[in-house]
Amino acid sequence: MEIRVLRYFLAIAREGSITNAANSLHVTAPTLSRQIKDLEEELGQKLFIRRSHHMALTAEGMILRKRAEEIISMVDKTEAEFLSMENMVSGDIYIGSGETEAIKLIAQIAKELREVYPGIRYHLHSGNAQDVTERLDKGLLDFGILIQPADLSKYDYLDLPAKDRWGVAMRRDSPLAQKDSICKEDLLDLPLLCSRQAVERGVGANEFCQWFGDDFEKLNIVTTFNLVYNAAIMVEAGVGYAITIDKLVNTAEHSSLCFRPLTPRLESGLNIVWKKYQVFSTAAELFLERLKEAFD
């Protein structure tokens, strides 16, 4: 299985037709068609459903697309790292994170490093803890920011000097908006929007789950989400109340939403992590040195 053919496959999946993909790749349609046919024979699976004016992925094709995207991403990252070795310090640094205001600490270090080495570029990936650690484990990220509690056994890490405060995002015209803080009893009869991680029980469960305790199953969770931007739109539409951390939802004076913290106070610490025995690019190594100077 050649990298070039995987790029061809992804182009067809993206464009939806051999002709459009051939135009974007600057190859002939018969050449592209033959390469995909050879790939299907090599894998022993049909990858596309061919219709008159459109090609759709089969279930097997969808699996290959996910794997091919990971492989191509890793190849591009590796090529960029080796290219940077030939020049002044430059290269790409890949950082994954959930939604947290603590990214401001990382942004300051990134800015200072680029002032010295303008050839360094940053690539940010937003996702929940499971998504970030999965990409870390596959080598697609150099660093990840995880909200505690998290399983750190596979990683080296630094504690970030910041904490995320939990609370409820709601409409300003909600009766609960008259309160200064929200207690457990206030939440029992409300339609709630919670992050998927927040509703998981057991090892590594979100601190909100632990904070609420034995009555957690009584909560009326009507929507789950992994990033809060779209959840805030649902709250604004009146779907429910979002359990989230402070300063992620727009609650400025002109906004129709507001934030009220939980009581007793609930805060989560944060870690920036990387794989043990990780071999970094020069750029990522410099970034790690700055992290340690700032936070170790």
Side-chain angles (χ1 to χ4, degrees):
M1 191 185 307
E2 298 181 24
I3 298 299
R4 171 177 53 83
V5 177
L6 289 180
R7 293 188 190 275
Y8 289 171
F9 165 77
L10 289 175
I12 297 172
R14 180 180 65 250
E15 300 291 343
S17 78
I18 292 282
T19 301
N20 291 343
N23 290 336
S24 70
L25 294 168
H26 306 292
V27 299
T28 66
T31 296
L32 198 55
S33 180
R34 184 173 63 255
Q35 294 284 353
I36 296 306
K37 182 179 179 182
D38 290 344
L39 179 61
E40 289 179 322
E41 291 178 355
E42 179 182 352
L43 296 176
Q45 299 289 344
K46 187 176 181 181
L47 301 175
F48 290 98
I49 300 171
R50 293 163 173 81
R51 301 191 175 102
S52 56
H53 300 291
H54 182 72
M55 294 180 67
L57 288 170
T58 62
E60 294 79 9
M62 291 179 183
I63 293 172
L64 180 61
R65 180 175 63 182
K66 183 175 186 299
R67 295 289 180 260
E69 287 173 344
E70 294 172 352
I71 292 169
I72 296 300
S73 177
M74 178 60 72
V75 168
D76 290 344
K77 181 173 182 289
T78 302
E79 289 177 348
E81 288 174 352
F82 275 86
L83 181 62
S84 70
M85 295 176 187
E86 300 175 0
N87 308 310
M88 292 179 58
V89 176
S90 63
D92 301 274
I93 300 172
Y94 295 79
I95 305 170
S97 175
E99 293 173 298
T100 172
E101 196 186 27
I103 197 69
K104 288 182 177 179
L105 300 173
I106 306 304
Q108 184 60 34
I109 292 174
K111 172 180 175 292
E112 292 170 359
L113 193 59
R114 263 190 54 82
E115 288 173 352
V116 181
Y117 304 107
I120 291 178
R121 296 176 297 275
Y122 299 93
H123 304 273
L124 303 180
H125 175 82
S126 297
N128 59 25
Q130 180 180 354
D131 186 29
V132 170
T133 54
E134 181 179 329
R135 295 179 74 85
L136 270 171
D137 295 343
K138 291 178 178 178
L140 301 175
L141 295 175
D142 297 311
F143 304 95
I145 300 174
L146 302 181
I147 298 174
Q148 298 172 0
D151 181 6
L152 303 178
S153 59
K154 295 187 294 184
Y155 308 108
D156 289 322
Y157 63 91
L158 294 169
D159 295 325
L160 293 179
K163 288 186 180 294
D164 284 334
R165 188 175 186 186
W166 287 81
V168 184
M170 65 188 78
R171 291 171 57 102
R172 288 188 185 273
D173 57 9
S174 163
L176 278 186
Q178 305 305 313
K179 303 190 66 171
D180 293 329
S181 59
I182 306 301
C183 64
K184 298 177 184 179
E185 290 73 21
D186 294 328
L187 299 176
L188 281 173
D189 297 321
L190 297 179
L192 299 179
L193 293 79
C194 290
S195 71
R196 282 196 283 275
Q197 189 176 356
V199 301
E200 294 172 355
R201 305 302 297 264
V203 177
N206 188 294
E207 286 187 322
F208 171 72
C209 173
Q210 300 176 10
W211 175 87
F212 205 90
D214 294 338
D215 290 333
F216 184 84
E217 300 297 338
K218 297 180 181 178
L219 291 176
N220 179 25
I221 298 173
V222 299
T223 302
T224 63
F225 60 88
N226 67 327
L227 297 175
V228 77
Y229 178 82
N230 287 339
I233 295 175
M234 301 281 276
V235 172
E236 193 170 11
V239 174
Y241 300 73
I243 306 297
T244 183
I245 55 181
D246 197 6
K247 300 179 181 178
L248 298 184
V249 174
N250 179 13
T251 57
E253 186 176 349
H254 66 275
S255 171
S256 63
L257 302 181
C258 63
F259 178 90
R260 296 293 180 265
L262 296 176
T263 185
R265 188 181 184 98
L266 175 63
E267 294 180 327
S268 294
L270 301 114
N271 305 108
I272 184 160
V273 308
W274 58 96
K275 286 173 64 177
K276 289 184 177 180
Y277 315 112
Q278 172 82 353
V279 178
F280 285 118
S281 66
T282 302
E285 189 69 45
L286 283 169
F287 185 77
L288 179 58
E289 290 176 8
R290 296 297 179 98
L291 289 175
K292 289 180 176 179
E293 289 173 5
F295 306 136
D296 197 356

